[in-house]
Amino acid sequence: MIATYPFSAVVGLDDLKLALVLNAVSPRVGGVLVRGEKGTAKSTIVRALAAQLPPVEAVTGCRFACDPAAPDPACPDGPHEPGEQRLRRPAALVELPVGASEDRLVGALDVERALTEGVKAFQPGLLAAAHRGVLYVDEVNLLHDHLVDLLLDAAALGTCYVERETVSVRHAARFLLVGTMNPEEGELRPQLLDRFGLTVEVRASRDPGERAEVVRRRLAFEAGPEEFAGRWAAEESALAGRIARARDRLPGVRLPDARLRQIATVCAAFEVDGLRADLVTASAAMAHAVWQGRQVVTTDDVRAAARLSLPHRRRRDPFDAPGLDEELLERLLEETSGPDDPDDPDDPHGPDGPGDDGPGDGGPVGGGPDGLGPGDGGSSGESAGLGSETSREDAGSHPQGVDGQAAGTAEAGPQAVDGPAGSRPAAPAGRPAGAAEPYRVPLLQVPGLGEGAAGRRSRARSAHGRVTGARRPRGRLHGLHLTATILAAAPHQRTRGRTGPGLLLRADDLREVVREGREGNLVLFVVDASGSMAARRRMTAVKTAVLSLLLDAYQRRDKVGLVTFRGAAAEVVLPPTSSVEAGAARLRSLPTGGRTPLAAGLAKAADVLRVERVRDPARRPLLVLVTDGRATAGGDVERAAGMLDGTASVVVDCESGPVRLGLAVRLAARLRARLLPLDALSDLGSAVRDYRKAV
């Protein structure tokens, strides 16, 4: 239950409650994405929201929850006649599991009826079940990209379109979309982030008293759930009633031209792409106004809406952290506030008017004067800011390299590092070197055909891709191959005594689709950070190359890890993770200097890959070794290289200068690895940049 949670115990939960309420009042806002560390009650509060939504009336027997007052004329279970029997039920809460298939999400042909009865029937999916309710996706960043696309398209259009095996269906799918994610497990693409209306970042409070209150209430609930729920029933009922009344009054909310210009100015100043931010901010501001008991949108409403709708749209580069410059927002709002900022004096629901959501209407719920705690009115303070730490990093309007330089100062790219004129001085030993703007790199693949998680790197058998054949199911059936199943069953119909229109099927007739697509791999970077690299002023070029490879791994949906070696040992700087942003952050602070323990780096990489084979055996590894091949510290390189036999590898040769020893070339031959000179990567990057400028 929402009212039972002490919101001060988790920084950002006041904003989360506000975002959920705004979507409950106005589904046009477009859903909520909740970002935060594990154990911060993200799932708990989302599941509690469904109980606060007004109940819905649906046509009895309709699998698509049609509203009896305005049934969908294209409903597959329709058409529904006026006056049909109806039922009243709570708003649905539908959860989409990470491993769901496309057919489970949108629906598909009812194969059993098609084969046994000879009729064409549609089996609805989770989008139909969530109509007029809540669709909750936990760990949305781990959901396959094509499912996220389908999900967000349906949420934006309010309609689900299904084309399956001669079945063409359209049905209404209007729902409150809520996704939760832990950024440590990888980010959503910026294009997908933009499709969520609002975003909130939450993290646990470090105050012992607030944390203790959470534990106290949890123990009280476990000791007596019914008694605990009864203690908060009045507050929960008041919140549900307030949401219902705000939803009814929403059509009467007025958005003055001055406030609309203010929204457009703010969105333009933050340089968000497209116009979706303007539309979402306007819808959220109107919902916030009616939630506060106003019928005219004010600057306070615009402020609250912008703080929730803009932070994730500021993320353009995959390595950018979502955030919002609060000072810039306040300055823009102050500069664009007009004389009509107070509500229309003739508005009976203004802040001083007799609105029905004041203290006399069931009382506040949650701690603040409006029932949402201290964080939802645009106030300052830790819970008011969305990502106060990241807003400082994202305050600039120019693209940044990993070392914080403006991209324009790094346009010369890695080639400028070794030149005598204008070259950068070598970074002092032990201090991190910078990096230039990343560039496009060639496709690196693991040879053969894998069966790992869906991605965009190596060839693999997968649930998505082009159909290459059919086979008997191995365990549970995944994707029926209709033609192959019919061909397997057809020769036996007479001997099985078939007399009706349908086929007589047996389990051994079933055939499943075999598809070939692309998989994501584990890309383990092993980077030489020794003094031999820094002495030749190559670490900037090396960091730029690794950053470019990291960007490529992000785009191809890989897991990444980072091992470095310098001095006397190797270190796992980044254990394998789906968060390439973490890899970029580790790369930013990577120091250089000392001797070159190449053997230790290879041995450490072998250890990491051995553990990952046990943890995730279906994900094939790709080793990317960035080195000049020198080995000036202990260990047998030949023996360490033998530990990596059978591992798909790439050696990026960083040796430069007129005299070259070819050590990295020999190492690549020993590892049976693809050899990529660092200069070749740099030249390709320059060519791509020049082409983009010319176009």
Side-chain angles (χ1 to χ4, degrees):
M1 295 181 292
I2 291 182
T4 66
Y5 200 90
F7 286 90
S8 59
V10 176
V11 177
L13 272 189
D14 290 307
D15 285 333
L16 173 54
K17 183 177 178 181
L18 175 61
L20 292 172
V21 165
L22 295 183
N23 274 272
V25 171
S26 175
R28 290 187 305 172
V29 171
V32 184
L33 176 64
V34 188
R35 300 163 42 89
E37 58 193 24
K38 52 187 175 294
T40 49
K42 300 187 297 293
S43 301
T44 300
I45 190 171
V46 170
R47 292 189 175 99
L49 173 68
Q52 312 306 315
L53 296 179
V56 299
E57 285 193 343
V59 175
T60 303
C62 178
R63 297 173 297 168
F64 302 87
C66 277
D67 185 353
D72 181 7
C75 175
D77 284 353
H80 301 296
E81 300 296 332
E84 281 197 34
Q85 188 176 0
R86 63 185 65 187
L87 58 88
R88 188 177 178 86
R89 61 170 177 78
L93 172 62
V94 176
E95 298 191 35
L96 175 63
V98 170
S101 65
E102 183 176 338
D103 288 347
R104 184 72 184 100
L105 177 64
V106 301
L109 174 70
D110 191 332
V111 176
E112 182 179 356
R113 293 191 62 192
L115 294 179
T116 59
E117 302 177 21
V119 298
K120 188 166 61 175
F122 177 70
Q123 183 66 37
L126 294 177
L127 292 180
H131 180 46
R132 305 172 68 198
V134 179
L135 182 61
Y136 172 47
V137 188
D138 195 12
E139 306 295 354
V140 66
N141 53 324
L142 303 183
L143 199 65
H144 290 312
D145 287 343
H146 75 286
L147 292 183
V148 178
D149 286 328
L150 288 171
L151 183 65
L152 295 177
D153 282 341
L157 298 173
T159 304
C160 176
Y161 294 91
V162 186
E163 300 289 342
R164 291 288 187 280
E165 291 93 6
T166 73
V167 172
S168 180
V169 173
R170 184 203 71 83
H171 66 82
R174 294 184 295 276
F175 47 83
L176 196 168
L177 175 63
V178 183
T180 58
M181 60 174 284
N182 183 351
E184 295 176 357
E185 297 172 338
E187 284 282 1
L188 277 172
R189 287 181 289 153
Q191 298 92 328
L192 296 180
L193 279 173
D194 182 58
R195 301 295 293 275
F196 281 94
L198 310 178
T199 188
V200 178
E201 189 140 0
V202 296
R203 57 186 175 84
S205 170
R206 300 297 183 255
D207 183 86
E210 295 170 348
R211 298 169 73 97
E213 181 61 23
V214 174
V215 177
R216 187 177 298 112
R217 294 192 187 184
R218 174 69 183 186
L219 295 176
F221 172 78
E222 293 177 350
E226 294 183 0
E227 179 183 354
F228 184 83
R231 193 184 313 165
W232 297 92
E235 287 84 350
E236 295 287 324
S237 178
L239 179 60
R242 185 177 173 189
I243 290 174
R245 290 188 293 275
R247 181 180 288 187
D248 292 340
R249 293 203 312 271
L250 181 64
V253 173
R254 185 168 64 87
L255 178 63
D257 285 343
R259 302 285 73 76
L260 182 56
R261 288 193 299 272
Q262 190 175 45
I263 291 171
T265 300
V266 168
C267 292
F270 278 107
E271 298 182 340
V272 296
D273 294 329
L275 293 173
R276 185 175 284 116
D278 305 63
L279 294 169
V280 169
T281 305
S283 297
M286 295 170 70
H288 188 269
V290 74
W291 177 249
Q292 297 294 337
R294 294 187 285 267
Q295 290 300 106
V296 177
V297 174
T298 68
T299 295
D300 286 341
D301 302 317
V302 174
R303 176 186 295 107
R307 287 180 52 250
L308 298 174
S309 65
L310 295 183
H312 58 303
R313 294 185 168 90
R314 294 274 295 133
R315 181 174 182 258
R316 296 184 171 192
D317 189 273
F319 303 135
D320 290 341
L324 191 68
D325 186 346
E326 296 273 355
E327 294 182 2
L328 175 59
L329 175 62
E330 289 301 325
R331 185 168 68 251
L332 291 169
L333 293 176
E334 183 178 352
E335 291 173 355
T336 56
S337 61
D340 62 337
D341 204 41
D343 284 349
D344 187 343
D346 297 328
D347 175 26
H349 296 291
D352 299 322
D356 64 356
D357 280 336
D361 186 41
V365 180
D370 59 355
L372 288 174
D376 74 83
S379 60
S380 61
E382 192 172 33
S383 64
L386 229 183
S388 57
E389 297 176 1
T390 59
S391 64
R392 289 190 294 270
E393 296 178 7
D394 202 43
S397 60
H398 298 288
Q400 302 285 320
V402 292
D403 61 332
Q405 315 172 46
T409 65
E411 191 57 38
Q415 293 81 357
V417 176
D418 291 325
S423 61
R424 301 181 187 179
R431 295 187 59 185
E437 181 184 5
Y439 46 76
R440 182 182 176 185
V441 298
L443 173 61
L444 308 177
Q445 294 182 334
V446 178
L449 194 63
E451 295 185 352
R456 296 183 177 181
R457 184 172 296 279
S458 305
R459 294 175 56 229
R461 293 190 182 93
S462 65
H464 313 284
R466 62 186 182 90
V467 177
T468 59
R471 68 184 179 190
R472 293 180 185 272
R474 301 173 182 176
R476 182 172 175 269
L477 178 67
H478 295 281
L480 180 73
H481 195 298
L482 185 59
T483 303
T485 299
I486 293 174
L487 291 175
H492 308 290
Q493 296 306 296
R494 181 174 296 178
T495 58
R496 293 176 184 176
R498 171 189 166 188
T499 57
L503 288 175
L504 295 179
L505 293 177
R506 293 180 181 174
D508 57 357
D509 296 330
L510 297 178
R511 299 292 185 270
E512 67 180 6
V513 172
V514 176
R515 299 178 183 270
E516 183 177 313
R518 295 279 175 175
E519 67 176 358
N521 298 109
L522 166 60
V523 182
L524 181 62
F525 295 94
V526 183
V527 180
D528 184 349
S530 65
S532 66
M533 303 286 282
R536 290 175 173 80
R537 298 189 292 270
R538 281 178 284 158
M539 205 58 200
T540 294
V542 168
K543 281 193 174 184
T544 304
V546 176
L547 181 68
S548 303
L549 291 165
L550 272 171
L551 179 59
D552 180 69
Y554 165 83
Q555 293 169 339
R556 300 189 187 282
R557 313 294 179 261
D558 296 316
K559 289 179 69 174
V560 296
L562 180 60
V563 173
T564 64
F565 54 95
R566 60 184 288 264
E571 177 187 5
V572 181
V573 177
L574 179 70
T577 176
S578 296
S579 177
V580 295
E581 296 82 2
R586 299 293 196 280
L587 188 68
R588 181 186 298 120
S589 58
L590 180 65
T592 60
R595 305 184 71 186
T596 311
L598 176 58
L602 297 176
K604 181 66 70 175
D607 290 341
V608 172
L609 294 179
R610 186 183 67 254
V611 173
E612 285 302 306
R613 286 190 187 98
V614 176
R615 182 177 299 166
D616 192 358
R619 189 180 290 269
R620 297 187 295 165
L622 176 64
L623 178 73
V624 179
L625 176 60
V626 185
T627 181
D628 58 7
R630 293 174 179 265
T632 60
D636 185 346
V637 174
E638 180 70 21
R639 181 180 177 184
M643 300 170 64
L644 293 167
D645 283 343
T647 301
S649 304
V650 176
V651 174
V652 179
D653 183 3
C654 301
E655 192 174 27
S656 62
V659 179
R660 305 195 182 194
L661 302 178
L663 298 176
V665 177
R666 297 179 207 168
L667 181 60
R670 173 61 186 85
L671 294 172
R672 294 182 176 86
R674 179 179 177 182
L675 181 68
L676 284 176
L678 182 61
D679 294 341
L681 287 176
S682 303
D683 292 343
L684 177 61
S686 296
V688 171
R689 274 196 297 267
D690 293 342
Y691 173 77
R692 287 175 178 170
K693 287 181 179 179
V695 171

